[in-house]
Amino acid sequence: MTEEPEDKVVSPEKLLIDQPSDFQFHAAYVAYSEAYDNASNPETQEQLNKMILALQQKEIDHRTFYETLDRHRSAQQDFRRPQIKTQRKRDWRRQTQRRERNKRHRK
């Protein structure tokens, strides 16, 4: 038998290092967890793991963590607001009256 080289990239595992007693770290971990779950790229997941470990070991501060995390979030999501169609009350009344009038005379 011949061995084939593995070209598959193994996705890193999500770290379970939450500290509920430390509120700031817990909030950062929740943000990390959400970003990790939404990340499809194994490289991004690896970077997120490194960031949360660095935060836990106090190599980086919370501000740096969130700045880097925001870059990953903005790359993952496309923020588009749904189009809101507005109408003036006067126009709405005219349309309603026209529909009612047409409905009444169709008989």
Side-chain angles (χ1 to χ4, degrees):
M1 293 201 293
T2 61
E3 293 183 21
E4 295 180 19
E6 293 184 22
D7 291 336
K8 296 179 183 177
V9 177
V10 178
S11 177
E13 291 187 22
K14 185 177 181 179
L15 301 176
L16 302 174
I17 55 173
D18 192 14
Q19 299 172 356
S21 59
D22 182 6
F23 178 76
Q24 284 186 327
F25 185 79
H26 177 69
Y29 182 81
V30 170
Y32 151 80
S33 178
E34 182 180 319
Y36 186 92
D37 292 340
N38 292 334
S40 58
N41 187 356
E43 294 173 4
T44 304
Q45 292 175 339
E46 185 65 34
Q47 289 175 351
L48 291 170
N49 282 348
K50 288 178 183 177
M51 287 175 18
I52 196 71
L53 282 174
L55 183 65
Q56 182 189 28
Q57 297 167 357
K58 301 198 186 321
E59 294 173 3
I60 61 173
D61 61 343
H62 289 277
R63 182 178 184 160
T64 307
F65 172 79
Y66 283 111
E67 287 173 355
T68 312
L69 186 66
D70 284 341
R71 280 189 242 133
H72 289 289
R73 285 179 179 167
S74 63
Q76 294 170 2
Q77 299 173 353
D78 185 18
F79 293 106
R80 291 188 183 182
R81 287 188 167 183
Q83 183 102 10
I84 298 174
K85 195 171 185 179
T86 60
Q87 188 177 33
R88 292 185 308 185
K89 189 172 184 178
R90 182 177 177 187
D91 294 337
W92 177 80
R93 282 186 180 156
R94 283 183 180 170
Q95 281 185 347
T96 306
Q97 287 173 351
R98 184 177 302 131
R99 267 189 261 126
E100 291 297 322
R101 187 173 54 245
N102 289 340
K103 187 177 172 183
R104 195 170 47 240
H105 291 289
R106 280 188 191 163
K107 294 182 181 179

